[in-house]
Amino acid sequence: MKKHIPVLSVSLLVSLFIYVFYRTEKTLVNQVIMALISREHYYAIKCGVTTALLLQDYLVYSLPEGLWVFCITITSSFFYLKVRNRQWSLVFVPIGMALILEILQLLHITNGRFDWMDIVFSAGFWLLALLLTSTNRGKEPLFQSFNVKTCCCVASYCIVYLAHVSW
């Protein structure tokens, strides 16, 4: 796990940067930031950043999803869930979540809009994470022990919630 911390940190910081400065103020992470600093100060900083650094739409809307799939896949690669005497590797959960989210958006059941580019980014980053973690053979049950790896895995799933758009 320790060898993945730098790439996980950079991935999460890039996603956070994009969410804070380029995504809607209605995301929970932005609501938290506006609660910590004034709304006016937030808008001033956001305006300065978005004026100085123009990003393409696919970077603003598809890259963060790909990066969270990447991070969750890496942190999940150390674990499995045991259900009825079967072991289910958690590395399939992130890509499953991304695909289900896109289907729910296509059916207008959840916020957002269906986008093939989101699927492409998610699948690409999922495959990259699988390649980076292919040597993680000693998997353990997720909730068998409480350690740094378990905390990182659970935290990576919780971080995705901060990207949720409030009503």
Side-chain angles (χ1 to χ4, degrees), residues 65-133:
E65 183 174 335
L67 290 174
W68 69 252
V69 167
F70 176 75
C71 291
I72 293 175
T73 303
I74 288 175
T75 60
S76 297
S77 70
F78 299 95
F79 301 103
Y80 65 85
L81 283 177
K82 192 168 187 175
V83 179
R84 294 189 180 139
N85 297 326
R86 285 201 64 179
Q87 293 181 5
W88 298 88
S89 177
L90 289 183
V91 296
F92 298 103
V93 172
I95 192 66
M97 286 173 52
L99 292 174
I100 289 169
L101 178 63
E102 288 302 317
I103 290 168
L104 292 175
Q105 289 174 353
L106 177 66
L107 299 173
H108 305 290
I109 295 173
T110 188
N111 290 338
R113 65 176 181 86
F114 175 81
D115 189 354
W116 284 105
M117 192 59 75
D118 289 353
I119 294 172
V120 169
F121 270 76
S122 294
F125 277 104
W126 181 71
L127 290 172
L128 179 61
L130 288 180
L131 288 172
L132 289 175
T133 61

Side-chain angles (χ1 to χ4, degrees), residues 40-60:
E40 294 77 23
H41 192 84
Y42 167 75
Y43 284 125
I45 295 169
K46 182 175 181 171
C47 182
V49 169
T50 56
T51 302
L53 181 63
L54 299 174
L55 294 181
Q56 298 293 321
D57 281 352
Y58 66 90
L59 293 176
V60 172

Side-chain angles (χ1 to χ4, degrees), residues 1-15 67-76 78 129 132-133 152-153 156 159:
M1 174 63 119
K2 289 180 185 177
K3 71 179 184 179
H4 299 296
I5 290 175
V7 73
L8 290 171
S9 299
V10 169
S11 298
L12 291 173
L13 287 172
V14 167
S15 289
L67 290 174
W68 69 252
V69 167
F70 176 75
C71 291
I72 293 175
T73 303
I74 288 175
T75 60
S76 297
F78 299 95
L132 289 175
T133 61
C152 287
C153 183
S156 66
I159 287 171

